[in-house]
Amino acid sequence: FNLVWPIKPSLLLGKGSDLYSCLCMWLYFSTLWGHAAPQCPASCHCTWDTGTVLCSDAELRAIPEGIPPETVSLHLERNYIREIPESAFSHLVQLRDLYLSHNRIDSLATGALRHLGPELRMLDLSHNHLRHASREEFGSTRAKTRLYHNPWHCDCALQELMETLNLEPETVNGIICESSVRGGEHTGQSLVKLLDSGVNFCSLQRKTTDIAMLVTMFVWFFMVIVYVVYYVRQNQAEARRHMEYLKSLPSPRKTPTETDTLSTGF
């Protein structure tokens, strides 16, 4: 910024102390103005009257630092961003529109979007590399959400997320299963249409969990039986060894006194 301070020619021609005081005042007010003015992140363009921060096509590889807390609309489209940290937008309490399309985002930190305020009305994550997502990452946001053109792996967590989010109706059919927990059975099909037709990825997960529990219980029962059999056999072996030891002991002999007593009795 350029701040013009009106300096009269008479001051420049006056005493040196007057010129020195004038320069000090100029520096003081320049510093105050610099601190008061909001700063725009590097590689971005900011429009303060609308609260818009444009960081599109800026070759960014991460969420830029120093995004003003007064931001209302944040554009980060067409960059090389790969992940969204948990605290990336926690200070943007006035944010209404968040555009993250056409990046390389393949992971969301737990609660990455949970801190977005209730004012958020648009969340665009289309055209990225997302395969997995869950309710924990999105929190309770009610913003209209775009998730199409991502290589989704359709499973129970994604199904529960779809039932929670406010998906944009115009693009919801573009959420395609590139893979699923059922193998290649649903590859290339719209997740919404699959759910509407009665497909339930969560029931398959519960069935798999039940089978795993049954297998675990069977293994545990088998181990108990093996231990009991081993314990019984060990006791039998110990009993046999003890009997053999008793049999090997010499039988007690009668003393002469006992023999005389028996003879006298007859």
Side-chain angles (χ1 to χ4, degrees):
F1 60 90
N2 294 317
L3 180 63
V4 179
W5 184 263
I7 303 177
K8 296 181 179 180
S10 59
L11 290 176
L12 296 175
L13 298 175
K15 297 181 180 180
S17 59
D18 294 337
L19 180 60
Y20 177 77
S21 299
C22 182
L23 289 174
C24 287
M25 292 179 64
W26 182 82
L27 290 173
Y28 173 74
F29 285 108
S30 297
T31 303
L32 289 179
W33 178 263
H35 283 297
Q39 301 296 316
C40 192
S43 305
C44 300
H45 175 73
C46 300
T47 306
W48 303 120
D49 56 343
T50 60
T52 302
V53 178
L54 295 173
C55 304
S56 307
D57 300 295
E59 300 184 356
L60 298 173
R61 298 186 179 274
I63 304 297
E65 298 182 356
I67 300 175
E70 301 85 4
T71 301
V72 174
S73 182
L74 177 59
H75 292 259
L76 292 163
E77 309 100 313
R78 295 180 298 279
N79 284 292
Y80 304 108
I81 300 171
R82 290 185 176 275
E83 61 181 1
I84 303 199
E86 183 171 357
S87 58
F89 310 112
S90 58
H91 64 294
L92 304 179
V93 295
Q94 301 181 30
L95 191 63
R96 292 188 179 181
D97 304 306
L98 178 57
Y99 298 94
L100 289 159
S101 64
H102 294 88
N103 276 280
R104 299 179 180 179
I105 301 171
D106 56 13
S107 64
L108 302 171
T110 302
L113 305 171
R114 186 183 303 166
H115 302 291
L116 295 172
E119 298 295 326
L120 191 70
R121 60 189 181 188
M122 169 56 70
L123 174 59
D124 189 355
L125 284 165
S126 62
H127 293 276
N128 277 286
H129 298 170
L130 289 169
R131 286 181 52 78
H132 302 278
S134 64
R135 290 181 294 185
E136 287 74 18
E137 289 139 9
F138 284 79
S140 59
T141 179
R142 299 305 303 161
K144 185 177 291 186
T145 305
R146 297 172 181 169
L147 295 177
Y148 65 100
H149 280 294
N150 279 283
W152 291 111
H153 176 75
C154 295
D155 56 8
C156 183
L158 185 59
Q159 175 180 328
E160 291 177 343
L161 176 64
M162 295 278 289
E163 295 169 352
T164 303
L165 291 178
N166 178 23
L167 297 169
E168 185 180 54
E170 296 82 2
T171 61
V172 68
N173 288 328
I175 303 175
I176 305 297
C177 297
E178 185 169 289
S179 60
S180 76
V181 292
R182 299 188 178 184
E185 181 180 354
H186 303 303
T187 301
Q189 299 185 47
S190 168
L191 177 56
V192 172
K193 292 182 178 179
L194 287 172
L195 297 178
D196 289 342
S197 67
V199 175
N200 191 336
F201 295 100
C202 294
S203 63
L204 178 63
Q205 179 175 337
R206 295 189 190 100
K207 184 183 297 184
T208 305
T209 304
D210 293 341
I211 294 174
M213 290 180 64
L214 288 174
V215 171
T216 303
M217 291 177 63
F218 175 78
V219 172
W220 180 84
F221 183 73
F222 177 76
M223 292 178 63
V224 170
I225 296 298
V226 169
Y227 175 76
V228 170
V229 172
Y230 172 79
Y231 180 77
V232 170
R233 288 184 176 180
Q234 282 292 104
N235 284 348
Q236 290 176 346
E238 289 291 335
R240 283 195 299 267
R241 283 194 294 268
H242 185 65
M243 291 298 296
E244 291 173 359
Y245 171 74
L246 292 177
K247 290 179 180 180
S248 65
L249 293 176
S251 56
R253 296 179 179 180
K254 296 179 181 180
T255 61
T257 305
E258 295 175 347
T259 304
D260 295 342
T261 304
L262 294 172
S263 300
T264 304
F266 285 109

